[in-house]
Amino acid sequence: MSFSGDGIFPAVCPLDCPDTCGLLVHKHDGKIIKVEGNPEHPVTKAAICNKVRNMAERVHHPERLLHPLRRVGPKGSGSFEPISWEEAISEIAGRFKKLSVEYGPESILPYSFYGNMGVLSVEGMDRRFFNALGASRLERAICNSAGTAGWKYTMGFGGGTSPEDTVNADLIIVWGGNIISTNMHQVVYAEQARKRGAKVVVIDVHRNRTAQWADWFLPLYPGTDSALALGLMHILFRDGMTDDAFLEQYTIGHQELREHVLAYPPQRVAEITGIAADDIEKLAKMYGEAKVSHIHIGNGLQHHDNGGMNVRSITCLPALTGAWLKTGGGAVKSNSGYNSMNDRALTRPDLRPNRGTRMINMNRIGEALEMKEQPVMGMFVYCSNPVVVAPNADRVRAGFAREDLFTVVHDLFMTDTALYADIVLPATTSFENVDLYSSYWHHYIQLQEPVLEAPGECKSNVEVFALLGRAMGFDAEAFSESEYEMIRKALDYPRNPYLNGVTLERLLNERFVKLDMTPQADYLKNLPTPSGKIELYSKAMQLAGLPALPTYMPLKEGYDGVRRPQPGADYPLMFISPPNHNFLNSNFANIEKHQRMEKRPTLQIHPEDAAARGIGDGDELTVYNARGSIELWAVVTDKMLPGTVISQGLWWEGKGRRQRVNVLTPDRLSDMGNGATFFSGTVEVKRSVEPHDYDMITR
């Protein structure tokens, strides 16, 4: 497809969101003048979120990086000079060669995540480059790894209920997910189910937009989700609301589980969760008596010390009632297993000369940059902004401030991380290059071809890593493949029957192609667990040193072993930092229009906690713990239980302000999957002694 001329062009939303919307981009004089949803897309249709509707503000932002830059001042000062691409590639290749000789190739570490969800942008030429270099491997576990591990211990396969089928549910439980802000088309399906008589229940720590929309909202204390799930199981077994024939045929461990959950009667669960025992009884009855029950498992509840167990426990519930046998019943955490591709052909692990390379967890990047033995001496950051998004952020910033750390950042903007780079490279947006997109929710694969010319000297990840690979003298064929050749190889994966019929030719013709969902009919017959069944009792978990049965495991920080931080603790408030409505992680946080919609970074605090500290609505606050402090504005509200404070959104550091919430979050790893524990930290709050004027972020 040519990007020359004006008109309306098909496109794909690149954001890290389950919906992966089909778009139509309206272009005039070489610029986007309008973005709308593609009405022909079978799932997302014409509806898109406000973030994407305003994408032109981001693509054509006056502060977009357009040329390679070299640092000329102290790290963090923002002092850079323009250089050519030839100079940039030569300097990066030269430094990486030198570091490989002096410290070994494992002294170099990539840092990336899914700032752009294109398969080629984050799982293609970049992976080939770092494999061929022999660099340290990054464990990309900042988002969903804990819950994925918990789900897979139980179900084996990384997929659940199909979105379109959920219209048949008569009970939909949204557990730990603000889907109005993060999965809007699931809301559309839920509304269709509602018109047929379904009820929507939201379980969360915060009365967010989704909780306000629900028929019933149940607030609970952070990290107590597994206790609630076990309490529901107790009642389902106790009152004979289980499908024993299903349990016998499709599960293992149901007898052990039946005995185990006797330890979780409603009154005990009420004390742990903060949910009244009567409400726990009511919810169990609704779930047990529903004809078709569906559970949507969100991201938030897995960002705890016990995050994997939270998801593991909830995932057991549909097996107790046999909900998997009903169209639209069951549960979903992620459907990415259905669209698995030929990763080996994309990433070329065969290029790696040192197969036993160390792995560094991205949640522990602050610690990694402090290592004295086998130190990290070089970094390449792309599709991520770790100084804002990584936990224990002051520790992270201190690491990036090391003068002996050679850092390259490839991005659209001079992010908080780019300020600490030695070389900054200008990146393309998704509308300026070829890429392949899949969804971790719906079942459509989509092709993006350029609809805009790249401004200035911006280059895609594929272009940059191909240039570096050739400059380093790596395998010429691997670093010369076109995007279309890589896509063809990615889709050539007979091991995944769901990819049957999805080809590059069809994508070029049709733009989006549905997976072959025929094999889903045998979903329960082909579960890739050790037993081939739903594992309510997991020997694999036992071998990993975890409880074989779902078990409530209290959080680690400041807890009394039941539910709440100790009253005399230095930091007695649980601190939760979920997404806001107008940013996506740190994306859009530097766009003035989105800042105006969010107004300013706030801390929601319960009236009881505010009164105890002499805090009034609108007061400027200092929020702090042993890791650091930030400045937010108070919103006094009862949207959560006492003892919990909420700050939504990842704001960049404002001029003269400290507002990066991840300064306060722990960099411990979760119980399974080595995931992030963003929501398992505690803080204290006080009124600021010297209020600051609020300035919009300027870069």
Side-chain angles (χ1 to χ4, degrees):
M1 181 177 65
S2 171
F3 51 67
S4 61
D6 298 334
I8 303 174
F9 300 88
V12 187
C13 175
L15 299 178
D16 187 359
C17 167
D19 297 52
T20 317
C21 296
L23 307 177
L24 293 178
V25 172
H26 297 243
K27 197 176 75 166
H28 181 69
D29 289 341
K31 290 194 172 184
I32 297 172
I33 58 170
K34 181 181 179 182
V35 178
E36 62 180 347
N38 187 343
E40 294 183 6
H41 193 286
V43 173
T44 67
K45 299 184 178 176
I48 58 173
C49 72
N50 205 39
K51 293 183 281 287
V52 183
R53 196 177 306 282
N54 293 303
M55 188 69 88
E57 304 261 343
R58 177 173 164 85
V59 172
H60 303 302
H61 196 284
E63 294 175 1
R64 245 190 98 176
L65 297 170
L66 300 177
H67 308 284
L69 302 170
R70 178 195 289 126
R71 179 172 65 90
V72 294
K75 286 199 171 185
S77 67
S79 298
F80 293 88
E81 65 177 4
I83 57 174
S84 68
W85 267 104
E86 290 76 14
E87 290 175 288
I89 294 296
S90 176
E91 184 163 341
I92 296 166
R95 292 291 294 270
F96 280 0
K97 286 177 181 178
K98 190 170 186 288
L99 289 174
S100 295
V101 170
E102 292 183 5
Y103 296 95
E106 289 180 74
S107 67
I108 301 165
L109 176 69
Y111 195 101
S112 69
F113 204 61
Y114 294 92
N116 178 337
M117 288 293 288
V119 172
L120 302 188
S121 290
V122 290
E123 296 177 357
M125 199 67 76
D126 57 315
R127 306 293 179 96
R128 293 182 183 190
F129 176 76
F130 292 111
N131 277 332
L133 181 62
S136 287
R137 293 177 296 159
L138 184 72
E139 187 174 15
R140 292 171 172 86
I142 204 167
C143 181
N144 64 349
S145 60
T148 296
W151 175 280
K152 286 192 173 181
Y153 274 129
T154 311
M155 302 299 297
F157 179 71
T161 310
S162 294
E164 300 95 324
D165 289 342
T166 60
V167 299
N168 298 298
D170 60 344
L171 175 65
I172 296 174
I173 298 177
V174 180
W175 202 320
N178 185 9
I179 61 174
I180 282 181
S181 295
T182 63
N183 191 185
M184 62 178 288
H185 294 91
Q186 182 57 65
V187 176
V188 175
Y189 286 131
E191 278 294 336
Q192 292 177 27
R194 250 180 170 172
K195 289 177 182 176
R196 301 179 181 189
K199 296 295 182 185
V200 177
V201 177
V202 168
I203 301 166
D204 213 313
V205 300
H206 178 224
R207 193 167 72 245
N208 51 38
R209 291 171 184 249
T210 306
Q212 293 168 8
W213 157 79
D215 296 299
W216 188 25
F217 168 53
L218 286 165
L220 78 173
Y221 289 115
T224 63
D225 306 86
S226 56
L228 177 57
L230 287 157
L232 297 177
M233 295 182 212
H234 173 103
I235 298 167
L236 292 171
F237 278 121
R238 183 198 71 192
D239 293 354
M241 291 188 285
T242 55
D243 185 334
D244 293 346
F246 182 94
L247 289 170
E248 192 64 36
Q249 182 175 354
Y250 293 108
T251 76
I252 62 166
H254 60 93
Q255 292 295 352
E256 293 92 333
L257 182 63
R258 184 186 298 268
E259 293 298 316
H260 177 67
V261 299
L262 290 173
Y264 296 91
Q267 193 55 51
R268 182 193 174 205
V269 172
E271 292 171 359
I272 295 170
T273 63
I275 298 175
D278 287 348
D279 285 338
I280 296 169
E281 293 274 6
K282 177 182 174 183
L283 178 61
K285 184 177 174 63
M286 288 177 69
Y287 188 72
E289 293 182 352
K291 293 178 181 177
V292 183
S293 59
H294 173 71
I295 303 176
H296 180 100
I297 305 174
N299 257 10
L301 52 86
Q302 69 182 321
H303 290 159
H304 283 295
D305 296 315
N306 57 10
M309 189 61 81
N310 285 336
V311 174
R312 150 80 165 152
S313 303
I314 297 165
T315 304
C316 292
L317 283 166
L320 268 64
T321 61
W324 288 112
L325 294 179
K326 313 289 179 60
T327 301
V332 68
K333 183 207 168 286
S334 168
N335 278 332
S336 58
Y338 293 118
N339 54 51
S340 60
M341 298 181 189
N342 192 338
D343 291 336
R344 294 187 67 84
L346 275 176
T347 64
R348 295 294 304 275
D350 58 293
L351 297 173
R352 183 171 285 275
N354 47 347
R355 299 301 174 89
T357 322
R358 68 178 175 181
M359 180 86 77
I360 293 176
N361 189 291
M362 67 189 308
N363 298 304
R364 303 288 294 173
I365 186 60
E367 177 190 59
L369 293 176
E370 294 172 354
M371 291 189 302
K372 302 302 182 186
E373 293 185 13
Q374 294 186 293
V376 175
M377 301 301 296
M379 288 196 67
F380 197 116
V381 179
Y382 58 104
C383 290
S384 187
N385 184 11
V387 170
V388 172
V389 304
N392 206 347
D394 273 353
R395 189 182 193 186
V396 175
R397 180 161 60 178
F400 275 94
R402 279 174 39 202
E403 281 293 335
D404 64 340
L405 177 70
F406 176 66
T407 303
V408 181
V409 172
H410 185 214
D411 211 313
L412 302 176
F413 298 101
M414 186 61 70
T415 63
D416 285 21
T417 306
L419 288 172
Y420 292 88
D422 296 281
I423 301 288
V424 177
L425 303 175
T428 54
T429 70
S430 63
F431 298 146
E432 296 154 6
N433 48 260
V434 177
D435 219 326
L436 182 68
Y437 290 86
S438 60
S439 167
Y440 51 90
W441 175 63
H442 66 63
H443 303 317
Y444 286 82
I445 306 295
Q446 299 177 79
L447 178 69
Q448 172 74 66
E449 294 186 281
V451 299
L452 294 171
E453 288 194 59
E457 298 180 273
C458 296
K459 293 186 186 298
S460 70
N461 287 348
V462 172
E463 292 177 286
V464 170
F465 289 109
L467 285 171
L468 281 172
R470 293 195 292 270
M472 295 288 291
F474 296 151
D475 182 276
E477 183 182 352
F479 291 94
S480 299
E481 281 187 355
S482 73
E483 289 92 336
Y484 294 104
E485 289 172 314
M486 293 175 74
I487 289 171
R488 191 184 304 279
K489 288 184 176 180
L491 296 174
D492 183 11
Y493 193 45
R495 289 181 60 184
N496 179 12
Y498 294 98
L499 273 182
N500 180 44
V502 182
T503 64
L504 174 60
E505 286 69 28
R506 284 190 65 191
L507 286 166
L508 287 166
N509 244 355
E510 303 170 38
R511 317 313 303 179
F512 40 81
V513 175
K514 188 174 184 179
L515 298 170
D516 178 1
M517 297 307 295
T518 307
Q520 194 184 38
D522 293 325
Y523 178 85
L524 291 172
K525 299 175 184 176
N526 294 302
L527 293 178
T529 58
S531 66
K533 296 185 176 186
I534 299 172
E535 299 211 340
L536 306 176
Y537 183 100
S538 169
K539 288 183 179 178
M541 291 184 70
Q542 191 173 43
L543 290 172
L546 295 162
L549 291 162
T551 303
Y552 170 59
M553 305 166 73
L555 303 184
K556 295 177 180 178
E557 192 167 315
Y559 260 57
D560 61 5
V562 182
R563 69 169 193 237
R564 298 284 303 280
Q566 298 173 28
D570 291 335
Y571 312 112
L573 300 171
M574 283 300 304
F575 179 67
I576 309 295
S577 51
N580 58 18
H581 194 67
N582 292 295
F583 303 167
L584 200 157
N585 299 321
S586 71
N587 289 326
F588 302 99
N590 67 319
I591 309 298
E592 187 174 341
K593 184 170 187 176
H594 293 262
Q595 292 173 351
R596 286 198 305 268
M597 289 187 284
E598 286 297 330
K599 297 179 182 177
R600 58 187 186 183
T602 62
L603 185 81
Q604 297 177 44
I605 183 168
H606 193 276
E608 291 180 19
D609 299 317
R613 292 160 177 79
I615 291 170
D617 201 57
D619 283 352
E620 187 167 358
L621 306 175
T622 299
V623 189
Y624 63 97
N625 60 22
R627 287 177 280 271
S629 67
I630 60 173
E631 300 160 347
L632 305 172
W633 277 269
V635 174
V636 179
T637 177
D638 64 355
K639 288 185 177 181
M640 57 283 171
L641 297 177
T644 302
V645 290
I646 310 283
S647 181
Q648 291 182 270
L650 294 180
W651 294 75
W652 295 14
E653 202 80 298
K655 185 188 291 185
R657 291 194 59 78
R658 304 188 309 273
Q659 55 193 34
R660 292 173 301 129
V661 295
N662 281 322
V663 165
L664 304 174
T665 56
D667 55 6
R668 295 189 302 273
L669 300 182
S670 59
D671 53 347
M672 56 188 85
N674 293 329
T677 58
F678 289 118
F679 298 167
S680 285
T682 56
V683 300
E684 183 54 285
V685 180
K686 64 182 179 182
R687 293 176 63 187
S688 295
V689 176
E690 296 180 5
H692 295 73
D693 291 331
Y694 179 64
D695 290 315
M696 287 292 186
I697 299 164
T698 56
R699 283 282 184 266

